[in-house]
Structures are given as C-alpha cells and as structure tokens.
C-alpha cells in the first residue's frame, strides 16, 4: 500500500515525465526520466553525433549537457514535497569538469535541497559511463510555489 507521500511523488513523477516528453528540445535530445523522488531526479540522454560540439574529438556539445542538467534540476524541484508545479529556471551555474567520453550515455542527477516561499535551490552533477568523475557540476535556483499546509 502506498502512503500519501508515495502517491503524491508518483503523481508528480508522472507529470514530470509527461512534461519532459512534451518538450520538443528534451525530445530532440532523447531525454529519459530514470529516477524520481522527493526532491531527486535522474535524467539521461544517449550520445548522438548530431550533438557533437567538436568534430575533431567527437565530444558532445556543452549546451546539450547544460540542457540536460537544467531539465533535471527542474524535475528535482517538481519532486520536492514542499513545491507545487510548475517551475522555471531563475539561475543556473555549470562548471564543466572534463569532456564526456564520445559514445557514452550522459546521466544527470539533481537534488533540490532547499525551498523557500518562492525559490528552490538545486545541486546537480552529470556523468558518462565513469560515475566516479563528473563531466559537469551545477547549482541552480528555480521558481516555486510553496505547498502551504493550513494550521
């Protein structure tokens, strides 16, 4: 039997999945929601030669990694118990640590760690097949409507 929190998370997860699948850019990048929970999202996308940023090295463009991390951050906010849908990016800082290995699927993991009345704060990392060394790390702020509980 599911608890109310689990039911709410699964309902939000369905909405997050539908939202990601409905976005033309996310669809073009073939993003897939792999995991979703209370303030947590994991989204991945396959390597695609159409997204290569440097033909000499076949490394995927940083903009594709940025879009993945932005989408994942928004999904993490959508899953936070104190947040009500929808959300939008206010600010996103990405530090690129190393090039992703050509051919590898890229996975972003985001955690919404704090929600105020109007802003949610997120940390995220992106990895290729080597999940011990991040490709990129991000911090972001997203709009939020807080789920207020009546006394």
């Amino acid at each position: 039997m599911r608890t109310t929190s689990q039911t709410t998370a699964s309902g939000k997860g369905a909405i997050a999945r539908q939202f990601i699948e409905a976005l033309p850019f996310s669809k073009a990048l073939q993003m897939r929601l792999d995991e979703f929970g209370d303030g947590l999202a994991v989204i991945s996308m396959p390597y695609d030669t159409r997204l290569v940023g440097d033909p000499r090295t076949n490394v995927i463009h940083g903009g594709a990694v940025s879009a993945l991390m932005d989408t994942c951050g928004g999904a993490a906010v959508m899953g936070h118990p104190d947040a009500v849908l929808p959300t939008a990016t206010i600010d996103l800082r990405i530090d690129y640590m190393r090039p992703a290995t050509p051919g590898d699927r890229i996975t972003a993991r985001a955690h919404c760690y704090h929600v105020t009345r109007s802003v949610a704060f997120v940390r995220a990392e992106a990895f290729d097949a080597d999940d011990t060394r991040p490709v990129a790390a991000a911090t972001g702020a997203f709009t939020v409507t807080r789920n207020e509980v009546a006394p």
Side-chain angles (χ1 to χ4, degrees):
M1 174 183 263
R2 288 186 167 173
T3 65
T4 303
S5 176
Q6 289 171 322
T7 303
T8 302
S10 68
K12 283 184 170 184
I15 292 169
R17 181 173 272 100
Q18 290 170 356
F19 178 72
I20 291 163
E21 291 172 356
L23 290 172
F25 194 56
S26 297
K27 195 179 227 178
L29 295 178
Q30 301 175 57
M31 290 185 194
R32 178 182 76 200
L33 182 63
D34 297 322
E35 188 177 338
F36 185 84
D38 288 350
L40 169 74
V42 178
I43 299 177
S44 64
M45 68 181 188
Y47 178 83
D48 188 329
T49 56
R50 295 173 298 167
L51 303 176
V52 167
D54 184 350
R56 293 174 297 129
T57 62
N58 288 321
V59 171
I60 199 161
H61 192 281
V65 175
S66 173
L68 176 66
M69 295 183 82
D70 185 25
T71 303
C72 193
V77 171
M78 293 169 83
H80 194 281
D82 291 338
V84 177
L85 306 173
T87 187
T89 309
I90 297 170
D91 181 61
L92 187 66
R93 176 197 162 93
I94 300 178
D95 295 316
Y96 295 95
M97 314 298 230
R98 65 178 179 88
T101 304
D104 282 2
R105 183 172 200 84
I106 299 175
T107 301
R109 293 182 190 105
H111 175 243
C112 178
Y113 63 92
H114 184 67
V115 176
T116 69
R117 189 177 335 163
S118 58
V119 179
F121 298 91
V122 174
R123 291 186 188 110
E125 289 184 312
F127 297 90
D128 55 17
D130 181 355
D131 64 0
T132 64
R133 297 181 321 127
V135 169
T139 57
F142 294 77
T143 61
V144 69
T145 303
R146 195 166 169 86
N147 190 8
E148 299 293 343
V149 178

